[in-house]
Amino acid sequence: MIIPVLLAISAAAPAQEAPILIVGRTWAPFISPMGEPFRAKTTTDDTLRLWIAKADANRDGAVSLAEMLADADRFFTRLDDGGDGALGPDDIIRYEWEIAPDIQIGSPQRRAPGVPAPPKPPETARRKFDYKDAPLQGAARYALLNFPQPVAAADSNFDRSITRAEFRAAATYRFQLLDTGHSGALTFASLDAQRAKVFADAKKRAKRKVKPGEEDDERVGGPL
């Protein structure tokens, strides 16, 4: 069920450069509030639970603001390939092509030439929805918040460089958006309810054939 996908970086790339190898799957990942992809390894994995388990440091079943900030710091360090304390254009390109290629149009379904289509995974209630039909863009197709490029969206002063402080500020803002009950904690139950509504709304928009940019998406966050 794993699909090896080869992407040519550029037609002008040196011949000695190997193409990027992406391991895709036939169903969608979960893109965390800060943009990190979580992919199922088995047919029983719930990708939202995978993120919560990673962010929930004290294992109390909920993600607090402090844990959300710590999770954002961890992912920022992973994104900051040069270790200079800021995410520049090269870091953004690496994020879009190597870390979360899923946010590109159609990338989860790409296959290398000659590779047959994989068998379909077992049907479940959530996986019956075809993400290709959703009139949403980028990471918004797989996330709880409508940020097509959640990492770049953290650039609050639009200087094409994202500092750790900006990333943490974005994490605080997004935590507040997700904490709809103002309880100070994000539980699986509360986020799963939001996810179910996102899927239901996306199905409605797909049936109405709403064009990208015209959808009445209630999630906060604008496309870049």
Side-chain angles (χ1 to χ4, degrees):
M1 298 175 67
I2 297 179
I3 314 166
V5 182
L6 295 177
L7 296 180
I9 301 176
S10 168
Q16 68 270 20
E17 288 188 9
I20 296 174
L21 176 64
I22 297 173
V23 177
R25 297 182 184 276
T26 55
W27 63 84
F30 171 69
I31 301 293
S32 79
M34 298 312 297
E36 185 174 11
F38 287 81
R39 302 179 179 88
K41 296 180 180 179
T42 72
T43 57
T44 59
D45 284 345
D46 187 308
T47 47
L48 173 58
R49 285 189 185 276
L50 294 179
W51 171 67
I52 292 176
K54 193 161 192 174
D56 181 17
N58 63 3
R59 300 294 183 264
D60 66 350
V63 178
S64 66
L65 176 56
E67 289 171 329
M68 178 91 162
L69 292 172
D71 187 65
D73 280 338
R74 175 190 58 77
F75 188 46
F76 183 94
T77 299
R78 179 185 175 190
L79 293 171
D80 186 12
D81 191 44
D84 59 359
L87 307 180
D90 288 343
D91 295 315
I92 297 300
I93 291 172
R94 175 172 166 266
Y95 167 70
E96 294 177 353
W97 284 93
E98 298 183 39
I99 296 176
D102 316 80
I103 71 175
Q104 300 176 40
I105 298 299
S107 61
Q109 303 300 327
R110 294 177 185 167
R111 299 190 299 274
V115 175
K120 293 183 178 180
E123 290 289 338
T124 65
R126 288 195 177 98
R127 290 168 187 163
K128 288 179 180 178
F129 175 60
D130 190 342
Y131 283 79
K132 299 191 299 296
D133 294 333
L136 300 174
Q137 301 174 7
R141 294 173 294 173
Y142 318 116
L144 298 173
L145 298 171
N146 190 9
F147 292 102
Q149 217 292 19
V151 173
D155 182 11
S156 59
N157 62 1
F158 306 105
D159 66 349
R160 300 185 68 202
S161 178
I162 304 162
T163 64
R164 189 178 293 271
E166 285 179 308
F167 209 65
R168 287 175 62 87
T172 299
Y173 174 59
R174 296 174 194 183
F175 179 90
Q176 294 168 346
L177 293 177
L178 293 171
D179 185 19
T180 55
H182 306 291
S183 64
L186 306 179
T187 64
F188 174 78
S190 66
L191 296 182
D192 191 41
Q194 294 181 51
R195 177 171 60 173
K197 185 177 186 304
V198 168
F199 279 29
D201 290 347
K203 287 181 180 179
K204 292 178 183 178
R205 288 191 296 273
K207 289 180 179 179
R208 287 173 20 222
K209 298 182 179 180
V210 179
K211 296 179 181 179
E214 297 179 357
E215 65 270 10
D216 52 348
D217 194 333
E218 296 179 357
R219 296 175 293 159
V220 179
L224 295 178

